[in-house]
Amino acid sequence: MSRIAPAIASALETRGFRWEPYVTGSPNATPGSNITFHEASSDAKLGRNAMGLTQCISFLCETRGIGLGAQHFARRTATALAMVEAILQTAADNASEVLRTITSAIDDLVKSNEDIVIADR
């Protein structure tokens, strides 16, 4: 659902928080070299992955904080709360579409004769 990310951005901006999309990749200081990004690990012990194995929808919301200790704890907590509120409110505001999307995906899976392929690369 393409409504979630814009709703999160709007909620953060409304509250005066800065944000930007980001990705992670291996460090490379070689000028002119190719930039390569890798998908996150599929290790089932990680929370984001474990939740995906329980037939649920999962969102990973991150805030700055590594190495900051207790600095700006209230701001970081308020930022995380704003993200979660935006996700829940957007889902509630679009409940019919959410249900229709999930039901359609389940129906597609049940009616499909294609092999189910599970791959981890």
Side-chain angles (χ1 to χ4, degrees):
M1 179 183 282
S2 62
R3 288 182 170 85
I4 301 290
I8 292 171
S10 177
L12 293 174
E13 290 170 358
T14 297
R15 290 167 177 84
F17 298 125
R18 293 183 318 240
W19 72 275
E20 62 184 78
Y22 78 99
V23 296
T24 59
S26 301
N28 185 345
T30 307
S33 64
N34 290 333
I35 298 172
T36 304
F37 295 107
H38 303 280
E39 289 188 30
S41 162
S42 60
D43 185 347
K45 294 185 298 281
L46 298 173
R48 65 175 184 259
N49 300 339
M51 294 305 296
L53 295 172
T54 63
Q55 299 181 2
C56 73
I57 297 171
S58 176
F59 293 89
L60 175 62
C61 297
E62 296 184 319
T63 60
R64 286 186 50 221
I66 296 174
L68 293 179
Q71 293 178 4
H72 311 289
F73 180 77
R75 179 185 53 79
R76 294 191 329 256
T77 302
T79 301
L81 179 60
M83 289 189 281
V84 171
E85 286 176 339
I87 292 166
L88 294 175
Q89 191 61 58
T90 303
D93 292 346
N94 297 279
S96 295
E97 182 181 358
V98 171
L99 182 59
R100 203 170 38 252
T101 300
I102 293 170
T103 302
S104 175
I106 292 169
D107 289 345
D108 288 350
L109 177 66
V110 170
K111 292 175 184 173
S112 174
N113 291 324
E114 295 183 30
D115 291 338
I116 296 173
V117 178
I118 300 172
D120 185 5
R121 297 179 187 154

